[in-house]
Amino acid sequence: MRAARRLAARAGEHGFLLAVALVSLFPLYVMLVASFQRATSLSGSGLLPTLDPTFENYTEVWNEFGFDRMFVNSTILSLSSAAIAVLLAAGAAYGFTRFRFAGRGVLLVVLIGTMAIPPIVVIVPLFVMMSDLGLVNEMSSAIIVQAGLNIPFATFLLFTYMRDLPDELFEAAEVDGASRWRQFVEIALPMSVPALVTTMVICAMYAWNELLIPLIFWQTEQLATLMVGLAVLAPGRSGAQDIPLLMAGVTISVLPLLVVFLIGRRALVRGLVEGGER
Amino acid sequence: MSGPSALLRRTRGWLWVLPAVALVGFVLGFPIVKVLQYSLTDRTTFLDGSFVGLDNYSQLFHDELFWRAVKNNLILLLSVPLSIALALAITGILYRGVRGSRIYELVIFLPFLPAIASIAVVFLYLLSDGGPLNDLLRGVGLGGLAHAWLREQETAIWSILGVVLWKRIGFTVLLFMARMASIDRTQFDAAAVDGASWGRAYWQVAVPQMRGIIGLAAVLGFIEAFSWTFAYIAILTQGGPDRSTYTLEYLLYKLQFDQRLVGLAAAVAVLLLLSAVIIAAYRVYRGQREAFA
Amino acid sequence: MAGSWDRAYTRRQALGVGAAGAGAFYLAACGGGSSSSGGRDVAAVFDFEYAGKPGSMNRYWKALRDRLEQSDVDARLTDLAFVNYANMEARINSNHAARRGPTFETWFPNWFIYEFITQNAVSPVQDYVRDGATDDWLFATQIDGKYWGMPFYAEQSLLIANKQHLRKAGVEIGDRLESWDAFMDACARIKRSGELPVMIGAGDSFACDKWALASSMEYMQSVKQLPLNLLGELPTDEPVVSGWMDHFNQLHRDGYINDDVTKITEAQSLDRFLAGEGAFAMLYPGIIFDKDPEQFRVVGYWNGPGRYAAPIAVSGNLLLITSYGENKEAAGRIADFMQEPEQLQLFAKITGELPCNRNFDPSDLGELERTAWQQMTNPGPGKVVTWPRDRMPTVGVDVVFELGPKAFDGESPAALRKAFTERLARYREQNSAQMEVYRQYVDTIE
């Protein structure tokens, strides 16, 4: 009975998705539950919301630093470094996919490979270099470094998408007499909108969550970002911890991203839908 | 239109690529050169050291801790096929359209949002001996499965794998969904008309077109498993118990900052870079042959 | 070819992205970056966030800044940067390499200080504080005859007892345990009375270091002994080096510690101890100082033949003045200000820890804290306080972290000694250049 089998398949699919969703949610749920507990007693299971919830952890975290300034700094760092990375990467991806030139393969491979350099390795010589240029504690330093770190990833992502664009469109445009630049702006970019939006969102998120770069290049209180400020709550040398406070801090660091994602998702979905309708 | 000179035609591609490469070169190029240089010396934060050729590499290859770190990285690498398989399945179901797919999409993507360092702290609490996971297991009668997940050698690295996987899935699904959006819907409908089930249509029509993005997810996953796992180890296990959960990046950190052995740490960094370049090369050249067959 | 609607859409997208980027960059170019003017401004980067509530060190520095503002000291604190321990090294390394960064920085009195000195990254703090200031410091360490850092944060490891459990077992202890055997005696009585004698969480290894410290101190005659063992010049089976292995093994064998010792973390074990499980535990002060003295008391470590067999271990963490920092004279004035009795009280009150200056008045302290202060300032006739592994490179701590849990699980001391020796020998072999420098450092220690 095909209907019954289809029903069973559907139920199986729902079950599968539900399981994945629950697993995805579980740690975040635990985090929320803990953040509303009083610091003094973490007794009782961390599974059920406490009967005596309190906002004191959130207010304490909030009052601990100048939140407004940190939000602004984090936003500036994320948006500008992501914008620069995506702009340059889009051009580079176009160059890699639509042109043949000597060393193309090698260059692409090396560019992607640099993603594997953990920032801690390069941070000291990089800081010395930036310092010699007089850029430390100037906003441009962290933005440039963050953009530079994101470009290989962004290029790779956009290269993968652009490579799948149908050649016929470009050939037709070539025949029509369009210059390469026009092809880029009028064919490659619009058709890559889903990828561009995705890349921008991901690069911005990476920059938002980055701790080491702003820590080292933006050393003054004026420039501290949200992640730098929240590092106060990191587990100390002996693991001394105030779990509810920690959880409140983590929740606060995630909320802006969640909000932006919820808003940006509509744009993302629109981009996906429009990109798909051709 | 007048033809551009032959030289310009040959280097036009370079012009497009130049800004990106220049920025990366500026930010990473100079430090990478320094790191390459350091790896051939016995430099410490104390001393500039002297040239020792490939001694550092030889020392690493003879060090049992190094190989243990490699093994752990390979274990973490399992997150790549696992996450890709799961993400393909999830994407297929979501794309076809189920009730509440919007909500599922959102929830499944949530793990991507928090910073690694932040969420690792949550897992530290969650996986602790008296923590919520064990509570849950005991609560549903599976108490026998309860472990000190991060403190026992048998389970520690696998717990970390679980965390990496948890964090990765939503991102992979997002990548795949974005790619699916660019796939021509009519091809699906055509396959359905031909009588193929959705699953078959998905497998035969969509997935082959996703080879590029799957390859991307694989390369990214590889690089992440080798180079971006530091925060997990540092927070969850500090390389323990008894140095059983060391990974290459953590080893690098310990060498550079704890032991001040900059030269040796640089050697590890060079090895990481090499492995990533090799994998990227494999992926790019495979892809090129497909795209320009 | 893309339709006109798509083209317009793309242009809008591109403009949007471009505008966002340009706008952000403009803000970036205009904003940010601070420059200090005049000779009064001093920036600081600090860590030492272990015990007590997270953020307390941050609060202290900010309160200090306010106080400074209201005082008539010709100096001002700007740019206070708290960097958590995990990232502190990256920060200090970068600043030192580029010769750019805050004037104040904090670090432990370990051998990195020697490195900082040889790199010319720090200046002798004695050059900037008032004359005689160093006399009031409790733990003034000198290298090459100069004081390079001002000890301002004690950081202790304390042995705490649950009074109720002691009473129940009829155990009476004076200021400190008279010997390890006396400690074992007490544990036996407590066990017989039905309570757990010692609560330890060695899952994350930190507790191993603390218990091993006390064991080393028991026999330590000179602070050079552990470094000499690392250099291969003192055998491992000296009690000062490996006595802890026997002690841990005994605790396990006689059943005086909790069964899940290697499964729970230090923080978890402390939670349980504070909830009443276990008669003894080793803690850092921030956790215990505000607890009820009717319930808990500080017990001095077990005594031993060592000169350094003090009742507690103390580190005496340092405030350093960088060589490249701005306005070092002003920094000196701030350092002097920090050592005034009122500011010492501020430190104790906010961080819940003890400062390192003789002029500190302990009469406002709770009983537990006061006991710790007494033990620190009066360790007993002929005794000196120290933190045994302060002068070791990290491998000295790492090897205890690695082998400690095994010892608590009952591994034989003979096997542990062997592993210990081999590990350190291999380290020496692989890092011979570094060991050369380390030797020079050890030679400078008195």
Side-chain angles (χ1 to χ4, degrees):
Chain A
M1 301 222 297
R2 284 195 57 191
R5 223 182 317 148
R6 204 177 303 156
L7 207 60
R10 289 288 177 132
E13 283 169 7
H14 265 285
F16 173 62
L17 281 184
L18 198 61
V20 173
L22 285 178
V23 169
S24 301
L25 273 180
F26 184 55
L28 302 172
Y29 166 74
V30 160
M31 174 180 88
L32 266 179
V33 163
S35 72
F36 288 110
Q37 286 179 330
R38 279 178 206 288
T40 43
S41 66
L42 203 56
S43 55
S45 159
L47 286 178
L48 300 170
T50 175
L51 298 169
D52 179 25
T54 169
F55 259 108
E56 68 188 17
N57 299 309
Y58 286 93
T59 51
E60 194 177 328
V61 170
W62 185 277
N63 292 331
E64 194 70 27
F65 7 73
F67 243 58
D68 13 19
R69 183 81 220 183
M70 287 188 182
F71 258 96
V72 168
N73 290 332
S74 280
T75 308
I76 292 179
L77 181 61
S78 322
L79 284 185
S80 44
S81 67
I84 294 174
V86 169
L87 279 171
L88 295 185
Y94 181 67
F96 279 121
T97 52
R98 293 288 136 201
F99 292 80
R100 283 180 200 274
F101 52 93
R104 176 178 70 163
V106 171
L107 191 61
L108 181 61
V109 160
V110 169
L111 191 65
I112 293 170
T114 56
M115 269 195 283
I117 300 280
I120 41 173
V121 172
V122 296
I123 199 77
V124 178
L126 196 52
F127 182 76
V128 174
M129 186 174 84
M130 282 291 176
S131 172
D132 289 341
L133 292 173
L135 289 178
V136 171
N137 286 337
E138 294 297 329
M139 274 195 155
S140 46
S141 60
I143 294 174
I144 290 175
V145 171
Q146 188 64 46
L149 289 177
N150 277 340
I151 283 180
F153 166 74
T155 310
F156 192 20
L157 199 56
L158 293 172
F159 167 77
T160 308
Y161 279 105
M162 281 199 186
R163 200 178 52 188
D164 293 333
L165 297 178
D167 290 334
E168 309 85 58
L169 284 176
F170 289 95
E171 281 155 17
E174 185 90 23
V175 161
D176 275 353
S179 76
R180 294 288 199 155
W181 169 260
R182 269 187 75 197
Q183 288 176 40
F184 175 61
V185 172
E186 293 173 7
I187 305 180
L189 280 187
M191 291 192 72
S192 309
V193 158
L196 286 173
V197 175
T198 308
T199 310
M200 176 93 184
V201 164
I202 293 175
C203 284
M205 282 185 180
Y206 277 157
W208 181 275
N209 285 335
E210 178 68 51
L211 172 60
L212 191 64
I213 305 298
L215 190 79
I216 301 285
F217 291 99
W218 285 2
Q219 296 190 2
T220 64
E221 273 178 282
Q222 277 250 311
L223 293 173
T225 64
L226 195 57
M227 294 305 293
V228 170
L230 288 174
V232 170
L233 298 171
R237 196 162 68 131
S238 298
Q241 48 191 1
D242 178 351
I243 292 178
L245 195 67
L246 259 170
M247 297 297 145
V250 175
T251 310
I252 289 179
S253 74
V254 173
L255 274 177
L257 289 183
L258 184 60
V259 166
V260 168
F261 175 64
L262 284 174
I263 298 176
R265 201 162 149 265
R266 285 226 222 103
L268 180 60
V269 168
R270 255 183 66 209
L272 292 175
V273 165
E274 282 182 12
E277 275 172 359
R278 263 188 304 280
Chain B
M1 169 177 100
S2 57
S5 71
L7 182 67
L8 185 60
R9 189 173 299 140
R10 252 185 290 138
T11 57
R12 248 183 323 178
W14 269 97
L15 289 174
W16 283 95
V17 165
L18 196 58
V21 169
L23 186 55
V24 175
F26 175 68
V27 170
L28 285 178
F30 167 67
I32 288 182
V33 165
K34 282 259 163 240
V35 165
L36 278 167
Q37 196 190 326
Y38 293 165
S39 73
L40 300 173
T41 68
D42 59 357
R43 184 190 179 89
T44 68
T45 49
F46 252 118
L47 323 155
D48 284 340
S50 46
F51 183 77
V52 294
L54 297 175
D55 268 6
N56 287 333
Y57 295 95
S58 155
Q59 190 178 325
L60 284 174
F61 292 147
H62 283 102
D63 191 357
E64 185 233 0
L65 185 60
F66 173 76
W67 291 112
R68 204 182 311 160
V70 170
K71 183 190 102 188
N72 284 331
N73 275 117
L74 290 176
I75 290 179
L76 293 182
L77 205 54
L78 288 174
S79 66
V80 175
L82 284 174
S83 66
I84 289 180
L86 276 171
L88 279 176
I90 296 171
T91 308
I93 301 174
L94 285 178
Y95 187 70
R96 196 256 309 277
V98 287
R99 199 119 43 100
S101 63
R102 280 270 191 84
I103 301 183
Y104 279 127
E105 262 182 69
L106 173 64
V107 168
I108 291 174
F109 184 68
L110 284 180
F112 178 67
L113 294 178
I116 292 181
S118 302
I119 205 66
V121 161
V122 177
F123 273 102
L124 187 62
Y125 163 57
L126 190 108
L127 294 173
S128 61
D129 201 35
L133 181 64
N134 284 344
D135 278 349
L136 182 66
L137 288 173
R138 293 189 186 112
V140 298
L142 289 171
L145 287 180
H147 281 117
W149 299 99
L150 299 169
R151 307 287 161 220
E152 293 174 25
Q153 286 204 27
E154 304 83 43
T155 55
I157 190 69
W158 301 100
S159 308
I160 297 179
L161 175 62
V163 177
V164 172
L165 197 57
W166 179 86
K167 194 127 194 345
R168 170 88 54 75
I169 302 255
F171 173 65
T172 317
V173 168
L174 179 75
L175 285 183
F176 289 178
M177 289 289 284
R179 181 71 188 92
M180 288 294 284
S182 307
I183 287 182
D184 200 348
R185 188 107 198 184
T186 57
Q187 292 181 314
F188 270 107
D189 303 334
V193 162
D194 279 350
S197 78
W198 171 266
R200 185 82 56 82
Y202 181 63
W203 185 252
Q204 286 179 338
V205 172
V207 175
Q209 289 190 54
M210 289 174 59
R211 247 192 299 204
I213 198 68
I214 293 178
L216 174 103
V219 173
L220 280 182
F222 178 90
I223 292 181
E224 192 178 311
F226 268 67
S227 294
W228 297 351
T229 53
F230 171 71
Y232 293 126
I233 313 287
I235 291 176
L236 293 174
T237 60
Q238 296 93 48
D242 196 20
R243 298 197 292 175
S244 61
T245 58
Y246 262 61
T247 59
L248 287 173
E249 206 191 342
Y250 192 73
L251 177 65
L252 195 158
Y253 170 83
K254 288 291 260 184
L255 284 173
Q256 172 148 338
F257 289 115
D258 261 4
Q259 295 184 31
R260 331 294 269 173
L261 297 170
V262 175
L264 206 51
V268 177
V270 169
L271 289 173
L272 282 174
L273 176 59
L274 268 178
S275 60
V277 164
I278 291 174
I279 294 295
Y282 173 71
R283 192 57 232 152
V284 166
Y285 282 112
R286 263 285 290 277
Q288 284 200 331
R289 246 184 303 137
E290 283 160 13
F292 298 106
Chain C
M1 194 75 167
S4 59
W5 161 243
D6 290 309
R7 208 184 316 169
Y9 186 58
T10 308
R11 288 238 181 86
R12 255 190 283 129
Q13 293 255 336
L15 278 172
V17 164
F25 210 78
Y26 174 70
L27 273 173
C30 290
S34 69
S35 58
S36 77
S37 52
R40 311 180 64 220
D41 293 342
V42 175
V45 61
F46 51 91
D47 167 38
F48 297 145
E49 195 83 5
Y50 315 122
K53 283 200 133 260
S56 61
M57 202 48 92
N58 210 13
R59 275 196 292 280
Y60 162 70
W61 280 93
K62 298 217 158 105
L64 185 70
R65 171 164 63 184
D66 290 339
R67 289 255 181 123
L68 207 50
E69 201 80 41
Q70 292 153 15
S71 74
D72 51 10
V73 177
D74 186 25
R76 205 168 54 168
L77 275 173
T78 63
D79 289 328
L80 299 176
F82 175 83
V83 178
N84 58 326
Y85 173 67
N87 292 304
M88 189 61 168
E89 287 219 54
R91 177 66 178 266
I92 291 187
N93 259 307
S94 309
N95 287 353
H96 287 185
R99 290 266 180 288
R100 172 196 293 269
T103 313
F104 275 144
E105 90 189 359
T106 56
W107 197 245
F108 320 97
N110 69 2
W111 86 297
F112 289 3
I113 305 292
Y114 185 67
E115 173 185 342
F116 297 168
I117 296 170
T118 48
Q119 281 178 335
N120 286 319
V122 294
S123 298
V125 71
Q126 70 183 53
D127 290 348
Y128 300 99
V129 291
R130 64 177 172 81
D131 289 331
T134 59
D135 294 335
D136 296 327
W137 297 351
L138 284 174
F139 313 105
T141 36
Q142 293 184 305
I143 297 183
D144 278 345
K146 300 204 203 131
Y147 297 100
W148 294 86
M150 177 180 90
F152 86 107
Y153 162 41
E155 188 184 353
Q156 300 139 321
S157 168
L158 311 163
L159 185 61
I160 311 289
N162 182 318
K163 284 163 97 160
Q164 205 180 10
H165 295 330
L166 293 188
R167 260 196 308 267
K168 182 171 168 205
V171 166
E172 293 198 351
I173 309 178
D175 284 337
R176 63 184 303 187
L177 292 162
E178 279 145 32
S179 63
W180 176 259
D181 288 333
F183 182 37
M184 290 296 95
D185 235 25
C187 286
R189 314 246 294 267
I190 294 166
K191 183 157 179 218
R192 272 200 298 272
S193 79
E195 291 294 338
L196 174 72
V198 184
M199 165 60 73
I200 303 183
D204 51 1
S205 297
F206 297 111
C208 302
D209 184 34
K210 293 196 179 63
W211 283 92
L213 282 180
S215 309
S216 287
M217 285 160 60
E218 187 182 345
Y219 297 99
M220 209 157 111
Q221 301 295 0
S222 150
V223 294
K224 281 201 196 189
Q225 283 176 308
L226 292 182
L228 287 175
N229 168 257
L230 173 61
L231 286 169
E233 294 168 29
L234 191 73
T236 300
D237 41 20
E238 287 281 330
V240 65
V241 179
S242 60
W244 60 269
M245 299 178 189
D246 299 307
H247 285 343
F248 288 15
N249 187 274
Q250 187 174 7
L251 284 172
H252 166 91
R253 225 178 39 231
D254 294 347
Y256 294 154
I257 49 182
N258 42 311
D259 287 331
D260 52 0
V261 57
T262 53
K263 299 227 192 326
I264 59 174
T265 62
E266 187 181 38
Q268 284 176 308
S269 72
L270 296 178
D271 279 340
R272 279 159 66 173
F273 174 74
L274 293 174
E277 196 180 333
F280 290 102
M282 223 180 260
L283 318 169
Y284 35 83
I287 284 258
I288 200 68
F289 280 161
D290 59 353
K291 296 295 180 287
D292 184 6
E294 293 303 308
Q295 240 201 314
F296 300 104
R297 60 165 288 208
V298 175
V299 174
Y301 288 164
W302 53 97
N303 208 339
R307 176 163 172 249
Y308 289 90
I312 48 168
V314 181
S315 182
N317 297 326
L318 300 176
L319 181 68
L320 302 162
I321 295 185
T322 57
S323 59
Y324 48 80
E326 291 181 350
N327 305 328
K328 297 203 277 269
E329 284 76 19
R333 291 195 281 274
I334 295 180
D336 282 330
F337 181 71
M338 282 165 81
Q339 302 287 282
E340 286 176 13
E342 249 187 68
Q343 315 320 330
L344 296 173
Q345 293 295 337
L346 179 74
F347 179 84
K349 199 153 137 278
I350 294 187
T351 65
E353 302 270 351
L354 292 172
C356 299
N357 193 300
R358 266 178 241 293
N359 295 326
F360 177 64
D361 175 12
S363 45
D364 269 347
L365 296 177
E367 194 176 308
L368 293 155
E369 217 172 344
R370 211 172 331 130
T371 316
W373 175 261
Q374 297 292 19
Q375 289 177 343
M376 185 167 77
T377 50
N378 287 306
K383 303 291 188 189
V384 184
V385 288
T386 188
W387 189 278
R389 263 177 279 287
D390 252 346
R391 289 166 192 75
M392 304 281 282
T394 358
V395 69
V397 174
D398 280 348
V399 69
V400 173
F401 276 16
E402 288 154 30
L403 299 177
K406 295 190 165 159
F408 278 129
D409 267 346
E411 178 126 352
S412 86
L416 291 169
R417 284 191 170 90
K418 185 155 172 284
F420 186 96
T421 316
E422 277 168 9
R423 171 96 159 87
L424 291 187
R426 229 190 41 219
Y427 183 87
R428 261 197 310 279
E429 213 181 275
Q430 289 176 340
N431 303 303
S432 44
Q434 194 185 53
M435 288 290 103
E436 288 282 318
V437 186
Y438 187 63
R439 182 148 259 298
Q440 289 165 24
Y441 163 70
V442 173
D443 285 339
T444 68
I445 306 175
E446 271 125 50

